[in-house]
Amino acid sequence: MTVRSWLYVPGDRPDRFDKAVATGAGAVVLDLEDAVPPAGKDDARAAVVDWLAGPATDTQVWVRVGTGQRGADDVAAVARGARLTGVLLPKASTRALLERVHDQLSAAEEATGRAPCTLGVSPLVESAAGVLAAPALAGGPRVRCLQLGEVDLAADLGVTPGPDGAELLLARSSVVLASAAAGIAPPPAAVSTVFRDLAAFEAETRRLVALGFRGRACIHPAQVEVVERVCRPAPEEVAAAREVLARLEASPGVAVGADGTLLDEAVARRARATLALA
């Protein structure tokens, strides 16, 4: 399933877990890292583990774990949850982290009878080291997609992003490029704290889609509808993609579109990607 919207929910707010699933988001992210104060992290982990033991949902359920030893303990605690789709790894910058988490998830799959590599991983690139390691992270075990943590990244780089985010363009494009080269799903765009001005949020999301992002992380349910609408191809785009593939099927290799443009495999790849997003 193509995931367009990733809705974050604080791990210490179990009253919101079911509500988040009901929003229509493609993925719900139960957050055990920044959204939970240090004193509440143990209780939050327990609440998340308890909820993950429930029956599976149609919505993907991910957990953003902590860092260091707490992160390792978080992975061990949540990995056996029947509802779990995968884990988000904050401040990822080394292949060694992915290898360690892979081993933990493999042990959990064996213990619960899941098929190997059922559980996924999504590294969060939040530092200069993470950006430079993006190709290695994208090719790591179980990696479904990369994601950006732009607040931490901006602090690490010492930049203050302006309205168009030009200061983060290199980092954004690096993550998109690394994902395409590794053959994994395109990254969703990073969260925005703008949730009351949905028009501004939509305009920014459209700019990020043009850069190669597919989907976006959300911190408020109101953002989910915007992301789903912006990142889902319009009916006319779907129809055009189907026509391209039909013409190429009728004339393998190279064909001519209704507007006289040349159609080849590169155009076909874009058409297939459009249909996948739809």
Side-chain angles (χ1 to χ4, degrees):
M1 181 183 74
T2 298
V3 177
R4 290 177 282 266
S5 52
W6 299 67
L7 178 60
Y8 277 75
V9 185
D12 59 355
R13 292 301 305 269
D15 57 306
R16 296 182 182 178
F17 295 174
D18 288 324
K19 294 176 182 178
V21 171
T23 63
V28 167
V29 181
L30 307 181
D31 192 1
L32 294 177
E33 198 213 9
D34 288 346
V36 181
K41 288 188 182 294
D42 288 342
D43 288 342
R45 180 196 290 161
V48 168
V49 169
D50 182 65
W51 189 84
L52 288 174
T57 72
D58 291 334
T59 304
Q60 291 193 16
V61 178
W62 293 71
V63 176
R64 179 163 74 165
V65 299
T67 57
Q69 185 56 51
R70 173 162 289 278
D73 293 343
D74 286 340
V75 173
V78 305
R80 299 192 181 195
R83 285 175 162 167
L84 185 69
T85 304
V87 292
L88 271 67
L89 304 177
K91 301 171 179 60
S93 62
T94 67
R95 177 74 175 242
L97 171 64
L98 302 184
E99 298 288 353
R100 189 260 292 167
V101 173
H102 169 66
D103 291 342
Q104 285 187 285
L105 296 180
S106 294
E109 288 165 343
E110 183 176 359
T112 57
R114 287 191 189 223
C117 290
T118 300
L119 298 172
V121 166
S122 183
L124 277 160
V125 176
E126 302 182 90
S127 66
V131 173
L132 294 179
L137 296 175
R142 299 177 181 268
V143 173
R144 304 290 191 264
C145 66
L146 299 180
Q147 302 196 39
L148 272 173
E150 292 188 348
V151 174
D152 284 291
L153 177 59
D156 192 50
L157 296 177
V159 302
T160 302
D164 64 356
E167 298 78 6
L168 295 174
L169 178 59
L170 176 60
R172 289 170 172 173
S173 295
S174 295
V175 169
V176 171
L177 180 64
S179 300
I184 61 174
V191 299
S192 169
T193 55
V194 177
F195 63 88
R196 297 192 185 280
D197 187 349
L198 292 180
F201 177 74
E202 177 172 340
E204 183 184 49
T205 302
R206 290 188 183 278
R207 290 195 297 270
L208 292 168
V209 169
L211 285 177
F213 292 92
R214 296 293 179 266
R216 190 166 194 185
C218 305
I219 60 169
H220 192 280
Q223 296 174 325
V224 170
E225 185 278 331
V226 176
V227 171
E228 288 290 323
R229 174 165 44 81
V230 169
C231 297
R232 183 185 295 111
E236 56 269 24
E237 293 177 294
V238 174
R242 287 177 175 154
E243 181 181 356
V244 164
L245 294 179
R247 286 177 177 268
L248 281 168
E249 184 177 358
S251 179
V254 178
V256 178
D259 59 355
T261 58
L262 189 68
L263 306 178
D264 58 11
E265 177 55 26
V267 180
R269 288 177 58 191
R270 190 171 185 88
R272 286 193 288 269
T274 296
L275 295 182
L277 284 172

